[in-house]
Amino acid sequence: MPRQLGELEDAVMTRVWQWNRPVTVREVLEDLQQERSIAYTTVMTVMDNLHQKGWVRREVDGRAYRYTAVSTRAAYAAALMNEAWSQSDNPAAALVAFFGMMSPEQRDSLQAAMRIVQGAEGGDRADGPGR
């Protein structure tokens, strides 16, 4: 299971996920510099680390690399939630507590996601679960 990304790793990955295209260290650097003072070599090291950890793949483009996300931010979030849930000695109680923390909008999203999962499993049939 993945460990949570560090602050700078998350800032870099956020850009890679948002842009959804191959990116260079220079592009990420220039965008990060709008928020903070940061060196090229720092961004290069973070992106190399993300490559070593399997978060991005890279291809040579001239004298530089272009980096692409291996998976989506949604898949990352899901893996973190699954890891946290699996650590509980009472998964049902953990889910109840988690659902209790949700906003109405988050609960609506959960219900929509459950409809999608149930539909994919054939749960939309009249004789399916919950009917």
Side-chain angles (χ1 to χ4, degrees):
M1 283 293 156
R3 69 169 182 80
Q4 188 168 355
L5 295 170
E7 178 196 352
L8 190 51
E9 289 174 328
D10 186 67
V12 169
M13 284 306 301
T14 293
R15 282 146 180 89
V16 174
W17 283 319
Q18 285 176 344
W19 296 339
N20 196 28
R21 62 173 173 76
V23 301
T24 64
V25 171
R26 176 75 50 202
E27 290 173 305
V28 174
L29 170 72
E30 290 172 358
D31 200 60
L32 284 170
Q33 284 179 330
Q34 294 177 31
E35 300 171 0
R36 64 178 91 187
S37 176
I38 190 166
Y40 179 92
T41 53
T42 301
V43 177
M44 183 177 64
T45 298
V46 169
M47 294 184 82
D48 184 60
N49 289 344
L50 289 167
H51 175 255
Q52 298 298 321
K53 294 176 181 180
W55 288 104
V56 294
R57 66 177 144 280
R58 65 185 180 195
E59 296 177 5
V60 176
D61 183 14
R63 293 177 41 202
Y65 286 113
R66 289 206 173 264
Y67 294 84
T68 308
V70 170
S71 66
T72 64
R73 184 173 203 75
Y76 165 68
L80 289 177
M81 288 187 287
N82 187 56
E83 174 69 12
W85 184 48
S86 70
Q87 297 297 316
S88 174
D89 60 351
N90 188 339
L95 284 175
V96 169
F98 180 63
F99 296 156
M101 294 179 204
M102 291 178 150
S103 68
E105 295 80 17
Q106 290 170 319
R107 285 193 293 276
D108 289 345
S109 294
L110 175 63
Q111 289 173 339
M114 289 301 299
R115 285 192 294 274
I116 291 168
V117 169
Q118 289 170 344
E121 293 175 347
D124 280 348
R125 298 183 330 228
D127 61 344
R131 303 261 161 100

